[in-house]
Amino acid sequence: MRPEDRDERMIEVVKGHLDAGIDALDDRTATRLRDIRLHAVETAEGKRGRFGFPRWIAVGGLATAAVAVLVVGLWMTEHPRESTVATADDIEIVASQEQMQLYEDLEFYRWLATQENGG
C-alpha cells in the first residue's frame, strides 16, 4: 500500500469517527459548538485586511517596499550616471582648429614623451 493511500484511508476513518461523534451530541452542545465556531470565524475575518490578507502581511509588504525604495534611492545618489550630453567645453574643444591639430599629431607627442622618459 502506498503512503498516499494509507493517509487517505486514515483520513476517512478519522472523519467517520468525528461525524459519528457529532451525531451523538445533544442539541444544546451542538448549538454551543456552532456558536463558538461562528465566533472564531468572525474573529479571524476581523483580523484580515481589506484584500483578505492578515494585516501583518500587508504591513510587512509595505515595509519591504519602503526599504527597497530607500536602497535604490541611496544607490542612485552614490552612483550617479555619467552624462552623455555634450557640454559647452566639449563643443569648444571639438570646434577649435588648434585642438584638432593636437589630436592629429597625438602619435608624435606620444613618441616624444617616450624619448624624454629615456624610452
Side-chain angles (χ1 to χ4, degrees), residues 2-62:
R2 297 184 341 199
E4 296 86 16
D5 294 339
R6 192 173 2 142
D7 291 344
E8 288 177 23
R9 177 67 183 135
M10 187 173 80
I11 290 170
E12 288 175 15
V13 169
V14 169
K15 187 177 179 200
H17 285 294
L18 291 174
D19 288 342
I22 289 174
D23 293 338
L25 291 176
D26 62 294
D27 290 338
R28 181 173 179 247
T29 305
T31 302
R32 193 162 170 234
L33 286 174
R34 187 181 66 246
D35 290 342
I36 292 170
R37 181 184 174 278
L38 287 174
H39 177 72
V41 169
E42 289 172 359
T43 303
E45 287 176 354
K47 291 182 180 179
R48 296 199 176 270
R50 183 179 211 168
F51 300 106
F53 298 110
R55 288 193 180 126
W56 65 269
I57 290 178
V59 171
L62 289 174

Short mmCIF file of all heavy atoms in Angstrom, two decimals, residues 2-62:
data_model
loop_
_atom_site.label_atom_id
_atom_site.label_comp_id
_atom_site.label_asym_id
_atom_site.label_seq_id
_atom_site.Cartn_x
_atom_site.Cartn_y
_atom_site.Cartn_z
N ARG A 2 0.58 2.18 -0.88
CA ARG A 2 1.36 3.43 -0.97
C ARG A 2 1.07 4.32 0.24
O ARG A 2 -0.01 4.25 0.82
CB ARG A 2 0.97 4.20 -2.23
CG ARG A 2 1.29 3.48 -3.50
CD ARG A 2 0.96 4.32 -4.71
NE ARG A 2 0.04 5.43 -4.42
CZ ARG A 2 -0.67 6.07 -5.32
NH1 ARG A 2 -0.58 5.75 -6.57
NH2 ARG A 2 -1.47 7.06 -4.99
N PRO A 3 2.04 5.17 0.60
CA PRO A 3 1.82 6.08 1.74
C PRO A 3 0.63 7.02 1.52
O PRO A 3 -0.10 7.33 2.46
CB PRO A 3 3.13 6.87 1.84
CG PRO A 3 4.15 6.02 1.17
CD PRO A 3 3.42 5.25 0.12
N GLU A 4 0.41 7.44 0.28
CA GLU A 4 -0.72 8.33 -0.01
C GLU A 4 -2.05 7.62 0.24
O GLU A 4 -3.00 8.20 0.79
CB GLU A 4 -0.67 8.85 -1.45
CG GLU A 4 0.51 9.72 -1.77
CD GLU A 4 1.74 8.93 -2.18
OE1 GLU A 4 1.62 7.73 -2.51
OE2 GLU A 4 2.84 9.50 -2.14
N ASP A 5 -2.13 6.35 -0.17
CA ASP A 5 -3.35 5.57 0.04
C ASP A 5 -3.59 5.35 1.54
O ASP A 5 -4.73 5.42 2.00
CB ASP A 5 -3.25 4.21 -0.67
CG ASP A 5 -3.20 4.35 -2.18
OD1 ASP A 5 -3.66 5.41 -2.69
OD2 ASP A 5 -2.71 3.43 -2.85
N ARG A 6 -2.51 5.10 2.26
CA ARG A 6 -2.62 4.89 3.70
C ARG A 6 -3.12 6.17 4.38
O ARG A 6 -3.98 6.12 5.26
CB ARG A 6 -1.26 4.49 4.26
CG ARG A 6 -1.31 3.98 5.67
CD ARG A 6 0.02 3.43 6.13
NE ARG A 6 1.06 3.55 5.13
CZ ARG A 6 2.33 3.85 5.38
NH1 ARG A 6 2.72 4.03 6.61
NH2 ARG A 6 3.21 3.94 4.42
N ASP A 7 -2.59 7.34 3.96
CA ASP A 7 -3.02 8.62 4.54
C ASP A 7 -4.50 8.88 4.24
O ASP A 7 -5.24 9.31 5.12
CB ASP A 7 -2.17 9.77 3.99
CG ASP A 7 -0.73 9.72 4.48
OD1 ASP A 7 -0.46 9.00 5.47
OD2 ASP A 7 0.12 10.40 3.87
N GLU A 8 -4.90 8.63 3.00
CA GLU A 8 -6.32 8.85 2.64
C GLU A 8 -7.23 7.94 3.45
O GLU A 8 -8.30 8.36 3.89
CB GLU A 8 -6.51 8.61 1.14
CG GLU A 8 -5.92 9.70 0.27
CD GLU A 8 -6.08 9.40 -1.20
OE1 GLU A 8 -6.98 8.62 -1.57
OE2 GLU A 8 -5.29 9.96 -1.98
N ARG A 9 -6.83 6.70 3.63
CA ARG A 9 -7.63 5.75 4.42
C ARG A 9 -7.75 6.22 5.86
O ARG A 9 -8.83 6.17 6.45
CB ARG A 9 -7.00 4.35 4.34
CG ARG A 9 -7.70 3.30 5.15
CD ARG A 9 -9.07 3.00 4.59
NE ARG A 9 -9.72 2.05 5.45
CZ ARG A 9 -10.97 2.14 5.85
NH1 ARG A 9 -11.73 3.12 5.41
NH2 ARG A 9 -11.50 1.25 6.65
N MET A 10 -6.62 6.70 6.44
CA MET A 10 -6.65 7.17 7.80
C MET A 10 -7.56 8.41 7.93
O MET A 10 -8.32 8.53 8.89
CB MET A 10 -5.23 7.52 8.28
CG MET A 10 -5.17 7.85 9.76
SD MET A 10 -3.50 8.06 10.37
CE MET A 10 -3.18 9.72 9.82
N ILE A 11 -7.52 9.29 6.95
CA ILE A 11 -8.38 10.48 6.97
C ILE A 11 -9.85 10.07 6.94
O ILE A 11 -10.68 10.62 7.68
CB ILE A 11 -8.03 11.41 5.80
CG1 ILE A 11 -6.67 12.06 6.03
CG2 ILE A 11 -9.10 12.48 5.61
CD1 ILE A 11 -6.13 12.82 4.84
N GLU A 12 -10.17 9.09 6.11
CA GLU A 12 -11.56 8.62 6.04
C GLU A 12 -12.02 8.04 7.37
O GLU A 12 -13.14 8.29 7.82
CB GLU A 12 -11.70 7.56 4.94
CG GLU A 12 -11.61 8.12 3.54
CD GLU A 12 -11.64 7.02 2.49
OE1 GLU A 12 -12.01 5.87 2.81
OE2 GLU A 12 -11.27 7.32 1.34
N VAL A 13 -11.16 7.26 8.02
CA VAL A 13 -11.52 6.64 9.31
C VAL A 13 -11.72 7.71 10.37
O VAL A 13 -12.72 7.69 11.11
CB VAL A 13 -10.43 5.62 9.74
CG1 VAL A 13 -10.64 5.17 11.18
CG2 VAL A 13 -10.41 4.43 8.80
N VAL A 14 -10.79 8.68 10.44
CA VAL A 14 -10.91 9.74 11.45
C VAL A 14 -12.15 10.58 11.19
O VAL A 14 -12.90 10.91 12.12
CB VAL A 14 -9.63 10.62 11.45
CG1 VAL A 14 -9.82 11.87 12.29
CG2 VAL A 14 -8.43 9.81 11.95
N LYS A 15 -12.41 10.91 9.93
CA LYS A 15 -13.59 11.70 9.58
C LYS A 15 -14.87 10.94 9.97
O LYS A 15 -15.82 11.53 10.49
CB LYS A 15 -13.60 12.03 8.09
CG LYS A 15 -14.70 12.97 7.70
CD LYS A 15 -14.63 13.33 6.24
CE LYS A 15 -15.78 14.25 5.95
NZ LYS A 15 -16.16 14.36 4.60
N GLY A 16 -14.90 9.64 9.72
CA GLY A 16 -16.06 8.84 10.11
C GLY A 16 -16.31 8.87 11.61
O GLY A 16 -17.45 9.00 12.06
N HIS A 17 -15.23 8.76 12.38
CA HIS A 17 -15.37 8.81 13.85
C HIS A 17 -15.86 10.19 14.31
O HIS A 17 -16.70 10.29 15.20
CB HIS A 17 -14.05 8.47 14.54
CG HIS A 17 -13.71 7.03 14.51
ND1 HIS A 17 -14.43 6.06 15.16
CD2 HIS A 17 -12.70 6.37 13.88
CE1 HIS A 17 -13.90 4.88 14.95
NE2 HIS A 17 -12.84 5.03 14.17
N LEU A 18 -15.33 11.24 13.69
CA LEU A 18 -15.76 12.59 14.07
C LEU A 18 -17.23 12.83 13.71
O LEU A 18 -17.98 13.43 14.49
CB LEU A 18 -14.87 13.64 13.42
CG LEU A 18 -13.43 13.71 13.94
CD1 LEU A 18 -12.61 14.69 13.12
CD2 LEU A 18 -13.40 14.10 15.41
N ASP A 19 -17.62 12.37 12.51
CA ASP A 19 -19.02 12.54 12.11
C ASP A 19 -19.95 11.75 13.04
O ASP A 19 -21.04 12.23 13.38
CB ASP A 19 -19.21 12.08 10.66
CG ASP A 19 -18.59 13.04 9.66
OD1 ASP A 19 -18.32 14.21 10.03
OD2 ASP A 19 -18.35 12.63 8.49
N ALA A 20 -19.52 10.57 13.44
CA ALA A 20 -20.34 9.78 14.36
C ALA A 20 -20.43 10.49 15.71
O ALA A 20 -21.49 10.46 16.36
CB ALA A 20 -19.74 8.38 14.53
N GLY A 21 -19.34 11.15 16.13
CA GLY A 21 -19.36 11.88 17.38
C GLY A 21 -20.30 13.08 17.33
O GLY A 21 -20.96 13.42 18.32
N ILE A 22 -20.38 13.72 16.18
CA ILE A 22 -21.29 14.87 16.03
C ILE A 22 -22.75 14.41 16.12
O ILE A 22 -23.59 15.06 16.75
CB ILE A 22 -21.04 15.59 14.70
CG1 ILE A 22 -19.69 16.32 14.75
CG2 ILE A 22 -22.13 16.57 14.37
CD1 ILE A 22 -19.28 16.94 13.44
N ASP A 23 -23.03 13.29 15.51
CA ASP A 23 -24.40 12.77 15.56
C ASP A 23 -24.82 12.40 16.98
O ASP A 23 -26.00 12.47 17.33
CB ASP A 23 -24.54 11.54 14.65
CG ASP A 23 -24.39 11.90 13.18
OD1 ASP A 23 -24.61 13.09 12.83
OD2 ASP A 23 -24.04 11.01 12.38
N ALA A 24 -23.85 12.04 17.82
CA ALA A 24 -24.16 11.62 19.19
C ALA A 24 -24.31 12.81 20.14
O ALA A 24 -24.75 12.63 21.28
CB ALA A 24 -23.05 10.70 19.70
N LEU A 25 -24.00 14.04 19.68
CA LEU A 25 -24.11 15.21 20.56
C LEU A 25 -25.57 15.60 20.77
O LEU A 25 -26.40 15.46 19.87
CB LEU A 25 -23.37 16.41 19.95
CG LEU A 25 -21.85 16.33 19.88
CD1 LEU A 25 -21.31 17.56 19.17
CD2 LEU A 25 -21.25 16.24 21.27
N ASP A 26 -25.84 16.12 21.96
CA ASP A 26 -27.19 16.62 22.21
C ASP A 26 -27.31 18.00 21.55
O ASP A 26 -26.33 18.62 21.17
CB ASP A 26 -27.47 16.68 23.72
CG ASP A 26 -26.54 17.62 24.44
OD1 ASP A 26 -25.31 17.32 24.47
OD2 ASP A 26 -26.99 18.64 24.94
N ASP A 27 -28.53 18.48 21.39
CA ASP A 27 -28.80 19.73 20.67
C ASP A 27 -28.12 20.93 21.33
O ASP A 27 -27.61 21.82 20.65
CB ASP A 27 -30.31 19.98 20.57
CG ASP A 27 -30.97 18.99 19.62
OD1 ASP A 27 -30.26 18.44 18.76
OD2 ASP A 27 -32.20 18.81 19.73
N ARG A 28 -28.13 20.97 22.64
CA ARG A 28 -27.55 22.10 23.36
C ARG A 28 -26.05 22.20 23.10
O ARG A 28 -25.51 23.27 22.80
CB ARG A 28 -27.82 21.96 24.86
CG ARG A 28 -27.28 23.10 25.67
CD ARG A 28 -27.73 22.97 27.13
NE ARG A 28 -27.18 24.06 27.90
CZ ARG A 28 -26.28 23.92 28.84
NH1 ARG A 28 -25.87 22.72 29.18
NH2 ARG A 28 -25.83 24.97 29.47
N THR A 29 -25.34 21.09 23.16
CA THR A 29 -23.89 21.08 22.94
C THR A 29 -23.57 21.41 21.48
O THR A 29 -22.64 22.16 21.19
CB THR A 29 -23.30 19.71 23.31
OG1 THR A 29 -23.66 19.40 24.65
CG2 THR A 29 -21.80 19.69 23.17
N ALA A 30 -24.36 20.86 20.55
CA ALA A 30 -24.14 21.13 19.13
C ALA A 30 -24.34 22.62 18.83
O ALA A 30 -23.56 23.23 18.09
CB ALA A 30 -25.08 20.28 18.28
N THR A 31 -25.38 23.23 19.43
CA THR A 31 -25.63 24.66 19.22
C THR A 31 -24.49 25.48 19.80
O THR A 31 -24.02 26.45 19.19
CB THR A 31 -26.97 25.06 19.88
OG1 THR A 31 -28.01 24.27 19.32
CG2 THR A 31 -27.26 26.52 19.65
N ARG A 32 -24.03 25.10 20.98
CA ARG A 32 -22.93 25.82 21.61
C ARG A 32 -21.65 25.72 20.79
O ARG A 32 -20.94 26.71 20.59
CB ARG A 32 -22.72 25.25 23.01
CG ARG A 32 -21.85 26.10 23.85
CD ARG A 32 -22.02 25.74 25.31
NE ARG A 32 -20.98 26.43 26.04
CZ ARG A 32 -20.13 25.87 26.85
NH1 ARG A 32 -20.22 24.58 27.10
NH2 ARG A 32 -19.21 26.57 27.44
N LEU A 33 -21.34 24.53 20.27
CA LEU A 33 -20.15 24.36 19.43
C LEU A 33 -20.26 25.18 18.13
O LEU A 33 -19.28 25.78 17.68
CB LEU A 33 -19.94 22.88 19.10
CG LEU A 33 -19.40 22.02 20.22
CD1 LEU A 33 -19.38 20.55 19.80
CD2 LEU A 33 -18.00 22.47 20.61
N ARG A 34 -21.47 25.21 17.55
CA ARG A 34 -21.69 26.00 16.33
C ARG A 34 -21.46 27.49 16.60
O ARG A 34 -20.82 28.19 15.83
CB ARG A 34 -23.09 25.75 15.77
CG ARG A 34 -23.29 26.41 14.40
CD ARG A 34 -24.69 26.20 13.83
NE ARG A 34 -25.68 26.89 14.65
CZ ARG A 34 -26.64 26.30 15.38
NH1 ARG A 34 -26.75 24.99 15.36
NH2 ARG A 34 -27.48 27.00 16.11
N ASP A 35 -21.96 27.98 17.74
CA ASP A 35 -21.79 29.38 18.10
C ASP A 35 -20.31 29.72 18.33
O ASP A 35 -19.83 30.78 17.91
CB ASP A 35 -22.60 29.72 19.36
CG ASP A 35 -24.10 29.70 19.11
OD1 ASP A 35 -24.50 29.77 17.93
OD2 ASP A 35 -24.86 29.62 20.10
N ILE A 36 -19.61 28.81 18.97
CA ILE A 36 -18.17 29.03 19.20
C ILE A 36 -17.43 29.08 17.87
O ILE A 36 -16.56 29.93 17.65
CB ILE A 36 -17.60 27.93 20.12
CG1 ILE A 36 -18.16 28.08 21.53
CG2 ILE A 36 -16.08 27.95 20.13
CD1 ILE A 36 -17.84 26.91 22.44
N ARG A 37 -17.79 28.18 16.97
CA ARG A 37 -17.16 28.16 15.65
C ARG A 37 -17.43 29.44 14.89
O ARG A 37 -16.53 30.04 14.30
CB ARG A 37 -17.64 26.96 14.84
CG ARG A 37 -17.00 26.87 13.48
CD ARG A 37 -17.58 25.73 12.65
NE ARG A 37 -17.05 25.75 11.32
CZ ARG A 37 -17.50 26.53 10.35
NH1 ARG A 37 -18.50 27.36 10.57
NH2 ARG A 37 -16.96 26.51 9.14
N LEU A 38 -18.69 29.90 14.88
CA LEU A 38 -19.04 31.15 14.18
C LEU A 38 -18.29 32.33 14.76
O LEU A 38 -17.80 33.20 14.03
CB LEU A 38 -20.55 31.39 14.25
CG LEU A 38 -21.41 30.48 13.36
CD1 LEU A 38 -22.89 30.73 13.62
CD2 LEU A 38 -21.08 30.73 11.90
N HIS A 39 -18.17 32.38 16.09
CA HIS A 39 -17.43 33.46 16.73
C HIS A 39 -15.95 33.43 16.31
O HIS A 39 -15.35 34.48 16.03
CB HIS A 39 -17.56 33.36 18.25
CG HIS A 39 -16.78 34.40 18.98
ND1 HIS A 39 -17.14 35.73 18.99
CD2 HIS A 39 -15.64 34.30 19.71
CE1 HIS A 39 -16.26 36.41 19.70
NE2 HIS A 39 -15.34 35.57 20.15
N ALA A 40 -15.37 32.23 16.25
CA ALA A 40 -13.97 32.10 15.85
C ALA A 40 -13.78 32.55 14.40
O ALA A 40 -12.80 33.24 14.08
CB ALA A 40 -13.51 30.66 16.03
N VAL A 41 -14.70 32.18 13.52
CA VAL A 41 -14.60 32.58 12.11
C VAL A 41 -14.74 34.09 11.98
O VAL A 41 -13.98 34.74 11.26
CB VAL A 41 -15.66 31.84 11.27
CG1 VAL A 41 -15.76 32.42 9.87
CG2 VAL A 41 -15.34 30.35 11.20
N GLU A 42 -15.68 34.70 12.68
CA GLU A 42 -15.87 36.15 12.62
C GLU A 42 -14.65 36.88 13.16
O GLU A 42 -14.23 37.90 12.62
CB GLU A 42 -17.12 36.56 13.40
CG GLU A 42 -18.40 36.15 12.72
CD GLU A 42 -19.63 36.39 13.60
OE1 GLU A 42 -19.48 36.86 14.74
OE2 GLU A 42 -20.74 36.09 13.13
N THR A 43 -14.07 36.37 14.23
CA THR A 43 -12.88 36.99 14.79
C THR A 43 -11.71 36.90 13.82
O THR A 43 -10.98 37.87 13.62
CB THR A 43 -12.49 36.31 16.12
OG1 THR A 43 -13.61 36.40 17.01
CG2 THR A 43 -11.29 36.97 16.75
N ALA A 44 -11.56 35.76 13.19
CA ALA A 44 -10.47 35.59 12.21
C ALA A 44 -10.68 36.51 11.01
O ALA A 44 -9.72 37.07 10.49
CB ALA A 44 -10.39 34.13 11.77
N GLU A 45 -11.91 36.68 10.56
CA GLU A 45 -12.18 37.57 9.43
C GLU A 45 -11.93 39.02 9.80
O GLU A 45 -11.50 39.81 8.98
CB GLU A 45 -13.61 37.39 8.94
CG GLU A 45 -13.83 36.08 8.20
CD GLU A 45 -15.28 35.87 7.80
OE1 GLU A 45 -16.14 36.68 8.20
OE2 GLU A 45 -15.53 34.89 7.09
N GLY A 46 -12.17 39.38 11.05
CA GLY A 46 -11.94 40.75 11.50
C GLY A 46 -10.46 41.10 11.54
O GLY A 46 -10.09 42.26 11.44
N LYS A 47 -9.60 40.11 11.66
CA LYS A 47 -8.16 40.35 11.70
C LYS A 47 -7.56 40.42 10.31
O LYS A 47 -6.38 40.65 10.16
CB LYS A 47 -7.46 39.25 12.50
CG LYS A 47 -7.78 39.29 13.97
CD LYS A 47 -7.03 38.22 14.71
CE LYS A 47 -7.37 38.27 16.20
NZ LYS A 47 -6.67 37.24 16.96
N ARG A 48 -8.36 40.26 9.33
CA ARG A 48 -7.86 40.31 7.96
C ARG A 48 -8.01 41.72 7.42
O ARG A 48 -8.89 42.47 7.80
CB ARG A 48 -8.62 39.33 7.08
CG ARG A 48 -8.39 37.89 7.52
CD ARG A 48 -8.73 36.92 6.43
NE ARG A 48 -8.43 35.57 6.83
CZ ARG A 48 -7.27 34.97 6.62
NH1 ARG A 48 -6.31 35.61 6.03
NH2 ARG A 48 -7.09 33.74 6.99
N GLY A 49 -7.12 42.06 6.52
CA GLY A 49 -7.14 43.38 5.92
C GLY A 49 -8.18 43.48 4.81
O GLY A 49 -9.03 42.62 4.63
N ARG A 50 -8.06 44.53 4.06
CA ARG A 50 -9.04 44.84 3.02
C ARG A 50 -9.09 43.79 1.91
O ARG A 50 -10.13 43.51 1.35
CB ARG A 50 -8.66 46.20 2.43
CG ARG A 50 -9.58 46.69 1.40
CD ARG A 50 -9.11 48.04 0.93
NE ARG A 50 -10.25 48.81 0.55
CZ ARG A 50 -10.24 50.07 0.30
NH1 ARG A 50 -9.12 50.73 0.42
NH2 ARG A 50 -11.31 50.70 -0.06
N PHE A 51 -7.95 43.20 1.57
CA PHE A 51 -7.90 42.26 0.46
C PHE A 51 -7.88 40.80 0.90
O PHE A 51 -7.55 39.91 0.13
CB PHE A 51 -6.69 42.56 -0.41
CG PHE A 51 -6.73 43.94 -0.98
CD1 PHE A 51 -5.92 44.93 -0.49
CD2 PHE A 51 -7.61 44.25 -2.00
CE1 PHE A 51 -5.96 46.21 -1.00
CE2 PHE A 51 -7.68 45.52 -2.52
CZ PHE A 51 -6.85 46.51 -2.02
N GLY A 52 -8.19 40.55 2.15
CA GLY A 52 -8.28 39.18 2.63
C GLY A 52 -6.99 38.65 3.25
O GLY A 52 -6.95 37.54 3.73
N PHE A 53 -5.91 39.46 3.21
CA PHE A 53 -4.66 39.05 3.83
C PHE A 53 -4.65 39.49 5.28
O PHE A 53 -5.22 40.52 5.62
CB PHE A 53 -3.46 39.69 3.13
CG PHE A 53 -3.32 39.29 1.70
CD1 PHE A 53 -3.56 40.19 0.68
CD2 PHE A 53 -2.93 38.00 1.37
CE1 PHE A 53 -3.41 39.83 -0.64
CE2 PHE A 53 -2.79 37.63 0.05
CZ PHE A 53 -3.03 38.53 -0.96
N PRO A 54 -3.97 38.75 6.13
CA PRO A 54 -3.81 39.24 7.51
C PRO A 54 -3.06 40.58 7.48
O PRO A 54 -2.25 40.83 6.60
CB PRO A 54 -2.97 38.16 8.17
CG PRO A 54 -3.21 36.93 7.37
CD PRO A 54 -3.44 37.40 5.97
N ARG A 55 -3.35 41.43 8.43
CA ARG A 55 -2.78 42.78 8.42
C ARG A 55 -1.26 42.77 8.52
O ARG A 55 -0.59 43.62 7.94
CB ARG A 55 -3.37 43.59 9.57
CG ARG A 55 -4.80 43.94 9.29
CD ARG A 55 -5.31 44.98 10.26
NE ARG A 55 -6.68 45.29 9.92
CZ ARG A 55 -7.69 45.22 10.74
NH1 ARG A 55 -7.50 44.92 11.99
NH2 ARG A 55 -8.90 45.50 10.34
N TRP A 56 -0.69 41.81 9.23
CA TRP A 56 0.78 41.80 9.37
C TRP A 56 1.45 41.55 8.03
O TRP A 56 2.55 42.02 7.80
CB TRP A 56 1.23 40.79 10.42
CG TRP A 56 0.93 39.35 10.09
CD1 TRP A 56 -0.17 38.65 10.42
CD2 TRP A 56 1.76 38.46 9.37
NE1 TRP A 56 -0.10 37.38 9.95
CE2 TRP A 56 1.09 37.23 9.30
CE3 TRP A 56 3.01 38.56 8.78
CZ2 TRP A 56 1.61 36.12 8.65
CZ3 TRP A 56 3.54 37.46 8.14
CH2 TRP A 56 2.85 36.25 8.08
N ILE A 57 0.78 40.82 7.12
CA ILE A 57 1.36 40.62 5.78
C ILE A 57 1.34 41.93 5.01
O ILE A 57 2.31 42.28 4.34
CB ILE A 57 0.61 39.50 5.03
CG1 ILE A 57 0.91 38.15 5.68
CG2 ILE A 57 1.00 39.48 3.56
CD1 ILE A 57 0.18 36.99 5.05
N ALA A 58 0.25 42.67 5.10
CA ALA A 58 0.16 43.95 4.40
C ALA A 58 1.19 44.93 4.94
O ALA A 58 1.87 45.62 4.17
CB ALA A 58 -1.25 44.52 4.54
N VAL A 59 1.35 45.00 6.25
CA VAL A 59 2.33 45.90 6.85
C VAL A 59 3.75 45.46 6.46
O VAL A 59 4.59 46.30 6.13
CB VAL A 59 2.17 45.94 8.39
CG1 VAL A 59 3.31 46.68 9.04
CG2 VAL A 59 0.83 46.57 8.74
N GLY A 60 4.00 44.18 6.45
CA GLY A 60 5.31 43.68 6.05
C GLY A 60 5.62 44.00 4.59
O GLY A 60 6.74 44.36 4.25
N GLY A 61 4.62 43.89 3.73
CA GLY A 61 4.80 44.22 2.32
C GLY A 61 5.11 45.70 2.13
O GLY A 61 5.99 46.06 1.34
N LEU A 62 4.41 46.55 2.85
CA LEU A 62 4.68 47.98 2.76
C LEU A 62 6.07 48.32 3.28
O LEU A 62 6.78 49.15 2.70
CB LEU A 62 3.62 48.78 3.52
CG LEU A 62 2.23 48.80 2.89
CD1 LEU A 62 1.24 49.50 3.82
CD2 LEU A 62 2.27 49.50 1.54
#
